[in-house]
Amino acid sequence: MFAVLKTGGKQYKVSSGDMLRVEKIAADAGEKVQFNDILMLGGDALVIGAPFVAGAAVQAEVVDQIKGDKVINFVKRRRKHGSQRTRGHRQKLTLVRVTEILASGAEATGVKAAVGSGSVATVVEAKPAKKSSAKPAAGGDDLKRLSGVGPALEKKLLEAGVTTFAQVAAWTEADVAAMDEKLSFKGRIEREGWIEQAKELAKG
């Protein structure tokens, strides 16, 4: 008998005795957990959920909390003298051993449900966000006239002290790289041709 379960946004086909690496769940090594989101059961008869199979579950024992293989994310700018940054990441995972597949009666087992570690974080009452007071300085230009600049990007520029077309027109390649990095523009300045546009707009 096999089951297709869903956890951590991914789907896994499992049978009893299988070892499985899933997105980190809130449980210690040796604990027994139960996956309740079952999409399909297979065996003598195929049962397909809509979207989940009612009463079905997969029980498993937590073997260990581990980390996945390191994933390298290399960020390189188009200009060779721009920033180059390598970031490493190891995803937190949980190693489990499937012990039993239940076709029904999952709600009455009393086994702890397998939930992601982020789901049990303490919920802090959110305070109303303060409205941004970023407004064009007196005599500032309407930066939204630059290609691709909307209210959100204009706010970022204003908060960075950029208020006029003349400032943008005077940017050097180093300034562009710094702004790209600081404001996460992802090459938009060069791609949209802001400097050339700003030079024309500054002439009035």
Side-chain angles (χ1 to χ4, degrees):
M1 184 176 184
F2 71 86
V4 177
L5 62 88
K6 179 181 178 182
T7 179
K10 299 180 179 65
Q11 299 176 13
Y12 304 88
K13 180 181 177 182
V14 299
S15 298
S16 183
D18 285 355
M19 293 287 286
L20 196 62
R21 297 198 310 173
V22 298
E23 295 291 321
K24 185 176 181 180
I25 58 177
D28 298 324
E31 277 193 76
K32 193 172 184 179
V33 295
Q34 181 169 289
F35 297 94
N36 294 312
D37 292 346
I38 309 302
L39 302 170
M40 180 188 299
L41 288 175
D44 296 334
L46 188 66
V47 181
I48 299 176
F52 303 122
V53 179
V58 170
Q59 293 183 352
E61 179 187 355
V62 176
V63 177
D64 199 6
Q65 298 287 0
I66 60 175
K67 287 186 178 181
D69 297 332
K70 179 172 281 192
V71 176
I72 301 298
N73 178 19
F74 181 67
V75 180
K76 184 176 181 180
R77 306 299 180 191
R78 186 162 68 91
R79 300 293 184 187
K80 290 185 179 179
H81 63 268
S83 62
Q84 296 183 8
R85 179 175 58 186
T86 302
R87 294 180 293 189
H89 171 71
R90 294 185 68 188
Q91 184 68 29
K92 293 183 178 179
L93 304 171
T94 301
L95 184 64
V96 299
R97 180 187 296 107
V98 177
T99 57
E100 190 175 359
I101 298 175
L102 304 177
S104 61
E107 62 280 352
T109 61
V111 176
K112 174 182 177 180
V115 295
S117 57
S119 303
V120 295
T122 303
V123 178
V124 179
E125 184 177 353
K127 295 182 179 179
K130 293 183 179 179
K131 292 184 178 179
S132 172
S133 58
K135 295 181 180 179
D141 295 321
D142 182 7
L143 300 178
K144 293 193 293 295
R145 293 176 66 186
L146 293 171
S147 176
V149 177
L153 287 186
E154 182 185 41
K155 185 174 77 170
K156 284 187 176 183
L157 290 167
L158 294 174
E159 289 173 346
V162 180
T163 60
T164 66
F165 296 132
Q167 286 175 277
V168 178
W171 279 350
T172 64
E173 290 183 345
D175 294 330
V176 170
M179 278 292 174
D180 242 3
E181 182 72 18
K182 181 179 178 181
L183 302 181
S184 300
F185 282 159
K186 301 179 181 178
R188 182 185 293 270
I189 298 171
E190 295 174 334
R191 187 168 63 250
E192 300 286 356
W194 285 4
I195 294 176
E196 290 74 16
Q197 291 180 46
K199 288 177 181 177
E200 293 299 318
L201 292 167
K203 293 178 184 177

